[in-house]
Amino acid sequence: MTAPRYTELVSNLPATVPFVGPEAHMRASGRSFRARLGANESGFGPSPHAIAAIEAAGREAWMYGDSEAHDLRAALAAHHAIPPEAILVGEGIDGLLGNLVRLLVGPGDAVVTSDGAYPTFNYHVAGFGGVLHKVPYRDDHEDPAALLARAEEVGAKLLYFCNPDNPMGSWHSARIVQRMIDSVPEGTLLVLDEAYIDAAPEGTAPALDPEDRRVIRMRTFSKLYGLAGMRVGYAIAAPPLIAMFDRIRNHFGLGRVTQAAALAALQDQDWLRGVQHRVAQARGALSAIAAENGLHALPSATNFVAMDCGRDADFARAVLRELMGRDVFVRMPFVAPMDRCIRVSTGPEAELQVFAEVLPLALRAAR
Ligand SMILES: Cc1ncc(COP(=O)(O)O)c(C=O)c1O
């Protein structure tokens, strides 16, 4: 009998997935979540215009999507006042990160990230045989100076930096991020993951410079635009780098319905502003719930709040288990010392009320 002959690289990869999805948890428990506050989705939903566009495009779903995503790229270009050649759309930031790593990282190549930062990036690096060098967080923030120093030291091809950060919700100012871009070592490309930028205060994102070859920036429709289920994000970088993706990307990967949804969502900036307001309110409500229960909510520039449970990781894990056991979906950081926290996404009031009801029970059970 023959067997598939896997590459040596893949044969040696661990059989892990970056995240266990909420549906898998529900299948395992046999129950539905009462509050879905774990994946930093937007429970406030997408713009009604995006929903209408999805319905209309559904009738055209027999056709492939435009492989150049012309209209969406043009609209993004106009929105950001940059040329379309500086924009690549793809299957979420996750998909874009995979292709970026494929472009630049081969077996043995050095890559730098923060220890405890977004694990999907690490998963892609491992999948192409890159060697990850991890820099500790500093006071619950990613540490730009230490990341740069490590990138220089190991000759990193990629330096991943997320601003605002997941899982802590912390952020650095545009001034610091710009200084980081200006200090990227020769031969290193900075990957600036701005998945949560729509939830951040003014002055968090440096000005976009589509000519800057030192950085690629990634944004998504999954968070405040409320389209996580559509899988669409975009990268902004100098046109020569964007053009390289054409050599390896899945040209028809972005569906017709998805493109229509993203375009309509982008065109409804009023909806986005409304969601920004609701996210800010929900962050306040989550902080209040945390305080009422003796937990400390960390300041957040994202659509989630990290709550310091005040003890060690075992305790935070127990709180998480008790919440999940009561059908409240939340997550927690994977790495110390951030794993003293649980991470709770913002969402509609009814779901926050469920969380408020269940948290004291979970804490009591965990203690
Ligand atoms: C930091 C970060 N980057 C990227 C993503 C994924 O974005 P997308 O849905 O566009 O793949 C997430 C989602 O949680 C995230 O937290």
Side-chain angles (χ1 to χ4, degrees):
M1 208 165 72
T2 80
R5 292 180 295 163
Y6 300 108
T7 63
E8 197 186 330
L9 174 61
V10 170
S11 305
N12 291 322
L13 289 176
T16 54
V17 293
F19 291 105
V20 179
E23 287 75 16
H25 285 294
M26 288 192 283
R27 277 189 294 277
S29 71
R31 296 191 308 271
S32 296
F33 284 120
R34 296 172 64 207
R36 184 173 169 125
L37 302 171
N40 303 339
E41 300 154 325
S42 184
F44 304 112
S47 149
H49 294 295
I51 295 171
I54 289 167
E55 284 169 358
R59 284 184 283 278
E60 300 179 342
W62 59 274
M63 288 184 267
Y64 291 108
D66 175 4
S67 63
E68 295 174 11
H70 173 274
D71 295 355
L72 179 55
R73 285 173 83 201
L76 284 165
H79 178 72
H80 289 301
I82 57 177
E85 294 74 26
I87 298 174
L88 171 73
V89 297
E91 301 99 314
I93 293 179
D94 287 354
L96 292 162
L97 286 173
N99 279 342
L100 177 68
V101 172
R102 184 174 170 199
L103 274 184
L104 285 154
V105 178
D109 285 341
V111 174
V112 168
T113 185
S114 301
D115 193 11
Y118 192 54
T120 305
F121 176 70
N122 302 357
Y123 170 83
H124 288 308
V125 172
F128 289 101
V131 178
L132 276 165
H133 299 266
K134 297 182 180 176
V135 171
Y137 276 59
R138 190 188 177 97
D139 300 331
D140 297 327
H141 289 67
E142 296 198 37
D143 186 343
L147 286 163
L148 286 167
R150 185 66 70 85
E152 172 104 57
E153 181 191 324
V154 301
K157 280 194 162 174
L158 289 177
L159 165 53
Y160 177 83
F161 179 70
C162 190
N163 194 57
D165 166 72
N166 179 14
M168 301 312 279
S170 56
W171 70 104
H172 290 285
S173 69
R175 192 176 50 81
I176 290 177
V177 180
Q178 185 60 52
R179 209 188 305 146
M180 195 173 176
I181 296 171
D182 292 338
S183 315
V184 171
E186 190 64 38
T188 300
L189 178 70
L190 178 66
V191 189
L192 180 53
D193 183 337
E194 297 182 313
Y196 297 99
I197 201 69
D198 298 318
E202 279 295 315
T204 306
L208 293 170
D209 177 0
E211 294 305 315
D212 196 332
R213 291 172 181 240
R214 301 168 296 188
V215 61
I216 183 166
R217 299 169 69 157
M218 302 224 173
R219 308 242 172 134
T220 184
F221 286 93
S222 297
K223 303 302 173 187
L224 271 66
Y225 284 107
L227 289 173
M230 281 285 152
R231 308 307 298 125
V232 52
Y234 57 103
I236 299 169
L241 171 55
I242 293 296
M244 289 301 281
F245 282 85
D246 275 342
R247 300 189 182 191
I248 51 128
R249 75 185 176 93
N250 180 8
H251 285 261
F252 290 90
L254 211 56
R256 200 170 187 90
V257 181
T258 298
Q259 294 186 36
L263 182 58
L266 182 71
Q267 286 167 343
D268 192 352
Q269 290 295 308
D270 283 348
W271 177 264
L272 181 71
R273 275 187 288 277
V275 173
Q276 286 168 329
H277 180 68
R278 289 155 87 181
V279 164
Q281 276 189 328
R283 282 192 307 236
L286 284 172
S287 302
I289 295 167
E292 281 157 23
N293 288 277
L295 309 185
H296 171 62
L298 276 61
S300 168
T302 64
N303 68 345
F304 61 84
V305 174
M307 298 180 185
D308 185 342
C309 295
R311 294 202 208 169
D312 60 6
D314 286 343
F315 180 66
R317 264 192 293 275
V319 175
L320 190 84
R321 196 174 51 242
E322 296 298 336
L323 286 167
M324 297 282 277
R326 289 170 175 78
D327 304 322
V328 172
F329 172 50
V330 296
R331 283 195 173 125
M332 64 179 285
F334 295 111
V335 169
M338 292 84 78
D339 61 2
R340 68 191 191 284
C341 298
I342 57 170
R343 193 199 70 182
V344 187
S345 306
T346 54
E349 210 173 299
E351 299 208 17
L352 300 195
Q353 263 168 18
V354 172
F355 177 69
E357 200 182 292
V358 167
L359 181 62
L361 308 177
L363 284 167
R364 206 169 310 139
R367 282 181 187 126

